[in-house]
């Protein structure tokens, strides 16, 4: 190497090279020579963070706060002109070139209050949430509330800084694979939240979640043990584990053997929030076209409060207890071993956990990555734009909009299809309990839309086919032209969940039901006529419904089968 100076950044700042400080096998990948330093300052003061790196070619920079990308912050120096509470958090910088990407250690920025006594502030190294809602059951009554409950709770958790994966309608194999992937993202210091809405029951002191493909009667071997999930979460040495269950806890047999899952050493980091107490049902409310579980209704009301999580759940319990509709029917139960007043609103400080943060950032982006907007030009001269929106991590909506018209076209309409063909699980619900309102809120004067459900089943690239129907200006004949666009494997499909399925799992492949995806030309709502609408089970008064709503009968008692699910650390 002949030069004693190397270009260190895209902004053309040079730094002296000290050969003794570089790795022996250095090939030009970014080498960080200046780490950002943690700082405290008074409100309104200027704060400057610096990072410097060598590299051939010269590295580029990208700053992050609390693990989230800061748009436009791509220089080696990050300046905060006037510090306020929105700027507090954990900062780090990524230096990258064509060879590699390197991350700095994190630097904490906080506001100092000289007159205030020092207070220990609890923090998380990251926040991760998995939300599952099961509503379209194969062998059990369909539910209505899980869709809106998961959607609204997911949005609120994102406001609290959680990396959220929200999924609807999973088989047992898919639930096991998803939980396994979730557990692999949990490390020391992380706040982990697991939420489930759907059918469930209790047996011998343990709670079970019912997958959409679970047969009748309920068998433990066909369901998911909540206690086993919590045990696996604790094994990851997280700072806080929260399990929230909006499901029934009816007993389907007399109490039997004690739980096989033994508690770990007292960690003081676990919180259970049950929608109802033992041997009781949980109810959902129907308000016009909108359905929600009563527990999640009050949970969403209070979850943003910057208070100890147990205090938040206590407020949920009090509000639900004052609701006259469920008096004597449903009471929230809270269990916890919490030694610190941890809150879901606690800030993220990732110091010393950069590697794990990068892994979670990568996996989260995979599960939430949407295709870029696409432009398709038809032979008649019409140009159509495809855009994409995620309703959940496994449900995407494709919008088609005519952007450029042609004098050759007198009138037109669009329709959308997909390859492989997949079933739209909401098309047969006769009004999709709020899904259509979510869809319309995502649209922006579009001509046609297509809802893609169950993306976790996708094992190859997804192709969107656009059909343009129009009347030719010269011949006055009705014509159809088609174009197609490969959009890869969006959202949860990119995570290849099928590769994590247990060896004995039966994979339900996309399109296996043979029911085509339907385009939705606004404002029409489509419904499959060959599948009957399945109502929720028995009603309570004033239009309340019960999700997991079987009373105890002899033919629905769990058999004496040992559980065999496992979640490797």
């Amino acid at each position: 190497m002949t030069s004693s100076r190397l270009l260190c950044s895209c902004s053309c700042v040079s730094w002296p090279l000290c050969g003794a400080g570089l790795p022996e096998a250095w090939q030009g990948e970014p080498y960080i020579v200046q780490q950002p330093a943690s700082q405290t300052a008074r409100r309104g003061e200027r704060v400057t963070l610096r990072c410097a790196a060598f590299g051939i070619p010269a590295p580029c920079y990208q700053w992050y706060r609390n693990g989230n990308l800061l748009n436009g912050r791509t220089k080696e120096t990050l300046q905060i002109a006037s510090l306020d509470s929105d700027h507090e958090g954990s900062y780090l910088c990524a230096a990258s070139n064509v060879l590699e990407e390197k991350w700095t250690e994190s630097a904490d920025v906080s506001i100092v209050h000289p007159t205030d006594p020092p207070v220990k502030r609890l923090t998380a190294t990251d926040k991760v949430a998995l939300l599952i809602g099961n509503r379209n059951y194969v062998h059990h009554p369909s539910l209505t509330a899980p869709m809106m409950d998961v959607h609204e709770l997911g949005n609120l958790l994102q406001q609290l800084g959680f990396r959220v994966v929200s999924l609807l309608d999973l088989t047992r194999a898919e639930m096991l694979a998803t939980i396994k992937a979730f557990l692999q993202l949990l490390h020391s210091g992380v706040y982990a939240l697991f939420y489930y809405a759907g059918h469930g029951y209790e047996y011998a002191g343990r709670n079970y979640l019912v997958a959409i493909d679970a047969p009748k009667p309920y068998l433990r071997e066909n369901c998911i043990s909540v206690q086993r999930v919590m045990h696996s979460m604790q094994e990851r040495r997280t700072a806080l584990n929260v399990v929230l269950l909006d499901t029934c806890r009816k007993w389907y047999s007399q109490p039997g053997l004690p739980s096989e899952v033994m508690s770990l050493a007292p960690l003081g980091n676990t919180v259970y929030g049950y929608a109802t107490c033992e041997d009781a049902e949980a109810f959902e409310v129907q308000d016009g076209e909108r359905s929600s579980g009563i527990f999640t209704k009050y949970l969403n009301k209070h979850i943003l409060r910057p208070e100890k999580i147990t205090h938040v759940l206590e407020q949920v319990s009090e509000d639900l207890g004052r609701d006259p509709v469920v008096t004597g029917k449903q009471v929230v139960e809270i269990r916890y071993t919490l030694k610190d007043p941890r809150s879901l609103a606690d800030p993220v400080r990732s110091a010393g956990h950069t590697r794990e943060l990068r892994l979670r950032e990568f996996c989260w982006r995979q599960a939430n990555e949407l295709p870029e907007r696409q432009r398709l030009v038809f032979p008649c001269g019409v140009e159509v734009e495809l855009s994409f929106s995620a309703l959940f991590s496994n449900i995407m909506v494709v919008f088609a909009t005519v952007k450029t018209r042609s004098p050759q076209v007198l009138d037109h309409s669009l329709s959308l299809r997909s390859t492989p063909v997949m079933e739209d699980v909401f098309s047969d619900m006769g009004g999709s309990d709020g899904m259509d309102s979510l869809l319309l809120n995502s649209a922006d004067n579009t001509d046609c839309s297509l809802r893609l459900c169950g993306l976790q089943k996708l094992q190859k690239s997804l192709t969107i086919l656009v059909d343009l129907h129009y009347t030719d200006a010269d011949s006055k004949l009705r014509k159809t032209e088609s174009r197609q666009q490969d959009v890869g494997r969006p959202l949860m499909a990119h995570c290849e969940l099928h590769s994590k399925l247990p060896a004995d799992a039966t994979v339900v492949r996309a399109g296996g039901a043979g029911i085509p995806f339907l385009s939705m030309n606004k404002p029409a709502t489509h419904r499959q006529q060959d599948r009957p609408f399945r109502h929720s089970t028995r009603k309570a008064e004033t239009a309340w419904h019960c999700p997991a709503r079987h009373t105890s009968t002899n033919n629905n008692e769990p058999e004496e089968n040992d559980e065999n699910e496992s979640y490797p650390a």
Side-chain angles (χ1 to χ4, degrees):
M1 189 177 298
T2 58
S3 174
S4 62
R5 297 172 68 85
L6 289 178
L7 193 65
C8 77
S9 74
C10 294
S11 57
C12 300
V13 178
S14 60
W15 289 80
L17 173 64
C18 178
L22 292 172
E24 293 183 3
W26 187 64
Q27 299 295 319
E29 67 274 11
Y31 181 74
I32 296 174
V33 295
Q34 183 177 8
Q35 299 278 358
S38 296
Q39 298 185 43
T40 58
R42 296 185 180 183
R43 190 180 301 273
E45 291 185 340
R46 178 186 295 271
V47 173
T48 302
L49 299 173
R50 292 185 176 86
C51 167
F54 292 124
I56 302 177
C60 295
Y61 298 101
Q62 176 61 60
W63 287 88
Y64 293 78
R65 184 175 72 88
N66 295 340
N68 297 311
L69 183 145
L70 296 174
N71 291 323
R73 300 294 189 148
T74 56
K75 296 183 178 181
E76 67 277 9
T77 299
L78 172 68
Q79 288 192 344
I80 302 172
S82 179
L83 182 65
D84 62 33
S85 56
D86 291 338
H87 299 127
E88 289 188 294
S90 180
Y91 290 78
L92 53 82
C93 185
S96 63
N97 61 14
V98 295
L99 299 177
E100 196 175 344
E101 180 182 60
K102 292 291 183 66
W103 291 58
T104 67
E105 294 298 327
S106 61
D108 294 334
V109 173
S110 58
I111 297 175
V112 62
H113 305 280
T115 60
D116 295 341
V119 177
K120 178 184 177 182
R121 189 172 187 183
L122 296 172
T123 63
T125 59
D126 205 352
K127 301 177 184 179
V128 182
L130 173 61
L131 281 57
I132 298 176
N134 285 341
R135 54 168 281 173
N136 292 295
Y137 282 85
V138 178
H139 304 291
H140 302 281
S142 293
L143 307 177
T144 55
M147 183 197 68
M148 290 302 298
D149 286 348
V150 169
H151 184 268
E152 292 184 353
L153 180 59
N155 288 339
L156 294 171
L157 289 173
Q158 288 181 31
Q159 295 181 42
L160 291 170
F162 276 83
R163 303 182 192 278
V164 176
V165 172
S166 58
L167 300 166
L168 289 188
D169 292 337
L170 300 186
T171 65
R172 178 182 180 274
E174 291 167 350
M175 289 181 71
L176 288 173
T178 301
I179 293 169
K180 177 181 177 181
F182 169 65
L183 293 170
Q184 290 173 343
L185 296 182
L186 306 186
H187 302 94
S188 175
V190 172
Y191 284 13
L193 185 145
F194 176 75
Y195 169 88
Y196 172 81
H199 283 308
Y201 70 97
E202 186 164 310
Y203 174 72
R206 302 180 67 177
N207 301 95
Y208 294 88
L209 312 179
V210 181
I212 63 167
D213 60 340
K216 290 183 178 181
Y218 287 161
L219 303 176
R220 286 179 290 165
E221 63 183 9
N222 296 326
C223 300
I224 304 297
S225 166
V226 176
Q227 279 71 22
R228 193 173 295 276
V229 174
M230 174 56 76
H231 185 272
S232 299
M233 291 170 68
Q234 289 180 321
E235 288 181 328
R236 306 301 292 181
R237 302 294 170 177
T238 46
L240 177 64
N241 291 312
V242 179
V243 173
L244 302 173
L245 303 178
D246 198 347
T247 183
C248 288
R249 298 173 65 191
K250 291 295 293 183
W251 295 339
Y252 289 103
S253 179
Q254 292 299 317
L257 297 175
S259 171
E260 298 173 5
V261 178
M262 304 301 293
S263 299
L264 299 179
L267 299 177
N269 66 346
T270 301
V271 178
Y272 278 100
Y274 295 98
T276 191
C277 57
E278 294 184 22
D279 197 27
E281 297 172 322
F283 293 84
E284 60 184 27
V285 63
Q286 183 78 32
D287 183 11
E289 294 184 356
R290 178 189 180 90
S291 298
S292 63
I294 187 170
F295 169 73
T296 305
K297 170 188 173 182
Y298 292 119
L299 175 67
N300 290 344
K301 175 182 176 182
H302 296 288
I303 198 160
L304 294 180
R305 300 167 70 97
E307 300 177 9
K308 185 177 178 181
I309 177 59
T310 52
H311 293 169
V312 172
L313 292 176
E314 287 168 359
Q315 187 62 58
V316 173
S317 177
E318 292 173 10
D319 280 5
L320 188 147
R322 286 190 290 264
D323 196 311
V325 176
V326 291
T327 300
K329 300 183 180 72
Q330 180 176 345
V331 177
V332 172
E333 182 174 336
I334 308 167
R335 300 181 185 177
Y336 60 92
T337 57
L338 200 60
K339 62 182 180 182
D340 297 315
R342 295 192 179 273
S343 163
L344 297 183
D346 288 341
V348 172
R349 300 189 189 279
S350 56
H353 300 271
T354 304
R355 180 179 178 182
E356 293 87 351
L357 178 65
R358 291 177 60 187
L359 173 62
R360 285 188 294 274
E361 170 74 11
F362 173 75
C363 294
W364 181 83
R365 288 190 180 277
Q366 276 193 320
N368 292 276
E369 185 175 358
L370 284 167
E372 298 289 338
R373 290 176 180 261
Q374 313 282 346
R375 288 289 182 106
L376 304 177
V377 180
F378 290 79
C380 63
V382 171
E383 186 175 12
V384 173
E385 180 182 77
L386 295 180
S387 57
F388 308 88
S389 176
L391 297 180
F392 301 89
S393 299
N394 64 339
I395 297 180
M396 179 177 75
V397 181
V398 184
F399 300 104
T401 308
V402 173
K403 289 297 185 180
T404 302
R405 303 182 184 275
S406 169
Q408 192 66 24
V409 175
L410 293 181
D411 57 77
H412 69 269
S413 63
L414 296 175
S415 61
L416 294 171
R417 296 171 289 146
S418 70
T419 301
V421 174
M422 302 171 69
E423 179 186 2
D424 182 353
V425 297
F426 297 101
S427 64
D428 66 338
M429 298 303 289
S432 43
D433 302 309
M435 176 62 82
D436 289 336
S437 64
L438 292 180
L439 177 65
L440 294 174
N441 289 338
S442 302
D444 183 17
N445 298 321
T446 59
D447 295 286
C448 184
S449 59
L450 174 65
R451 190 163 51 220
L452 306 177
C453 303
L455 292 177
Q456 76 279 1
K457 304 180 189 298
L458 192 64
Q459 299 188 31
K460 61 180 181 180
S461 290
L462 181 70
T463 299
I464 304 300
L465 299 97
V466 185
D467 296 321
L468 173 66
H469 313 280
Y470 68 94
T471 300
D472 184 80
D474 296 330
S475 66
K476 302 299 188 287
L477 296 176
R478 195 67 178 170
K479 295 184 177 182
T480 298
E481 295 179 4
S482 300
R483 284 289 180 268
Q484 64 182 40
Q485 182 66 46
D486 187 330
V487 296
R489 288 180 292 181
L491 299 179
M492 204 63 189
H494 196 71
C495 297
E496 298 184 344
L497 194 64
H498 55 84
S499 67
K500 302 178 178 66
L501 297 178
D504 60 346
T506 300
V507 179
V508 181
R509 300 188 185 277
I515 299 176
F517 245 171
L518 300 175
S519 298
M520 292 176 287
N521 295 292
K522 301 183 303 181
T525 300
H526 298 275
R527 177 178 178 179
Q528 291 295 112
Q529 299 299 324
D530 57 343
R531 296 180 61 191
F533 174 65
R534 296 173 295 179
H535 295 273
S536 297
T537 54
R538 70 181 184 86
K539 291 184 178 181
E541 57 194 59
T542 65
W544 286 81
H545 303 278
C546 177
R549 321 326 189 201
H550 299 285
T551 56
S552 179
T553 58
N554 292 333
N555 63 359
N556 201 29
E557 294 182 357
E559 296 180 357
E560 294 299 325
N561 293 311
D562 292 332
E563 299 162 307
N564 55 10
E565 72 266 24
S566 61
Y567 314 106

